[in-house]
Amino acid sequence: MSFFRKLFNRSSPKEEQAAPPAAEERVEDLAAAIGADVPLVAEAPVPAPAPEPEPQPQPERRGWFSRLSEGLSKSSRSITGSITSIFTKKKLDKATLQELEDVLLQADLGLPMAERIVGQVSSGRYDKVIDPEEVKRILASEVSKVLKPVEAPFSFSAAQKPFIILVVGVNGAGKTTTIGKLGAIARGEGYKVMFAACDTFRAAAIEQLNVWGGRIGAKVMSRPTGADASGLAFDAIAEARADGADILFIDTAGRLQNKQYLMDELDKIVRVIKKQDEGAPHAVLLVLDATTGQNAMAQAEIFTKVAGVTGLIMTKLDGTARGGILVAIAEKFKIPVHAIGVGESIEDLQPFDAEGFARAIAGLEEA
């Protein structure tokens, strides 16, 4: 099952189409149609075929866990390297436990998580030698317990057409790129997609979304830089209905949470959308950049208050040693996590897997 169907929990229109016949079947059908006495190939001398080149070895296609582990390698190396250093041939005492807590806090796992892991490690093991691998397993178990409740596929109802997705986040988080990737995946699954370039504060964002639209064959509603974003959102919904779009992605300006006038504009967009459809936006996705660390916590709080965030996508986990911030956000805000990104390609954006994330950040093999 592909990513978009898992994320949006709805069967693909392509499944309703019969698969085309194989090439051999098409040839047999053609022979039957024109009669057995008519040759399919002209009866002429056929030159001997040239020797086929030896097949070249193809690069092995890596699975998602392999890409996830590589993407989280900075965070994993930072944590597990320190764990190995702390616990190899050492008895568990107050100093080693303090070192462990410091390592977990530096990875942005948050104080509550760090204290629980330290408590689990010390339970019944004080003044004893503990295997670093056991510490890693405890780390993975505790992280998984926090993340599993927020591991959530996207709920995508066929009754809501167009399904309106408002995407929010600050500049540089990868918001517009994430919209493009989601749109590409949706188009590949057979959905009719439309983009609304409502980040009218940045010409680059408008251009970027138009490039994505042209690349994947999705209609893009846009206006010149500085145009009224809420008015564009209103018109985009009407256009998406008239055009029969399945999904409408609405991009928004990269609003800094300390710029009140920009947050007011976001609030206005939400109110205008509701004038077209009381139940919309049907989803509000917050895109967070893992490299921003603790600042991502503040973003999660303010965007949830202003826009009613329904789900989270975290990007750039491959660019930081503080990937634990996702755990801290999940524990504090309980926001459903739909997907994570660990690279630039579309394949590096995948549905969130709590168990896989926990094992990868702890430096363990796939279960």
Side-chain angles (χ1 to χ4, degrees), residues 67-312:
R67 292 201 301 274
L68 177 62
S69 295
E70 183 178 321
L72 288 172
S73 61
K74 288 184 179 180
S75 296
S76 177
R77 282 197 301 266
S78 174
I79 296 172
T80 60
S82 297
I83 287 174
T84 301
S85 174
I86 293 169
F87 291 100
T88 299
K89 297 181 181 179
K90 288 182 183 178
K91 288 186 177 181
L92 196 63
D93 57 21
K94 186 176 181 179
T96 55
L97 290 174
Q98 185 60 58
E99 286 184 71
L100 174 60
E101 184 172 305
D102 291 344
V103 167
L104 299 175
L105 290 174
Q106 288 168 13
D108 274 344
L109 283 161
L111 183 59
M113 171 60 70
E115 289 178 340
R116 278 201 306 280
I117 292 170
V118 168
Q120 288 294 324
V121 169
S122 63
S123 179
R125 302 178 180 88
Y126 204 78
D127 204 29
K128 296 178 183 178
V129 174
I130 179 171
D131 185 351
E133 290 301 310
E134 187 176 355
V135 179
K136 295 175 189 178
R137 288 192 292 270
I138 292 171
L139 166 63
S141 175
E142 292 302 313
V143 168
S144 182
K145 286 176 186 176
V146 168
L147 294 180
K148 197 64 180 176
V150 299
E151 175 192 292
F154 208 111
S155 179
F156 182 29
S157 171
Q160 297 162 323
K161 185 174 179 178
F163 191 87
I164 301 168
I165 303 173
L166 183 69
V167 187
V168 300
V170 300
N171 282 343
K175 176 170 47 66
T176 305
T177 299
T178 298
I179 291 173
K181 288 180 179 180
L182 291 174
I185 296 165
R187 287 287 296 138
E189 287 295 321
Y191 298 111
K192 189 169 187 178
V193 174
M194 183 172 166
F195 296 145
C198 292
D199 184 354
T200 55
F201 289 88
R202 287 193 310 135
I206 299 170
E207 181 180 350
Q208 186 180 5
L209 211 54
N210 273 292
V211 168
W212 272 107
R215 184 183 301 168
I216 69 173
K219 190 170 186 177
V220 181
M221 285 281 288
S222 63
R223 287 178 184 162
T225 308
D228 177 43
S230 57
L232 174 56
F234 186 91
D235 292 343
I237 295 172
E239 183 69 17
R241 282 193 185 128
D243 207 36
D246 294 302
I247 305 168
L248 170 63
F249 289 95
I250 299 179
D251 194 9
T252 59
R255 302 166 196 285
L256 298 173
Q257 61 268 22
N258 59 350
K259 301 292 185 182
Q260 187 57 47
Y261 73 95
L262 290 177
M263 300 308 290
D264 290 344
E265 178 63 25
L266 177 57
D267 181 63
K268 182 181 177 182
I269 290 175
V270 174
R271 286 187 279 109
V272 166
I273 289 173
K274 289 187 179 299
K275 288 183 180 179
Q276 281 274 33
D277 184 340
E278 280 188 12
H282 303 116
V284 180
L285 296 184
L286 171 61
V287 178
L288 291 177
D289 177 352
T291 65
T292 61
Q294 288 295 316
N295 192 38
M297 296 281 286
Q299 293 171 30
E301 182 172 8
I302 192 67
F303 279 111
T304 298
K305 287 180 179 178
V306 174
V309 171
T310 62
L312 172 67

Side-chain angles (χ1 to χ4, degrees), residues 21-36:
E24 293 83 0
E25 294 173 351
R26 291 198 297 270
V27 170
E28 290 174 3
D29 291 344
L30 180 59
I34 63 178

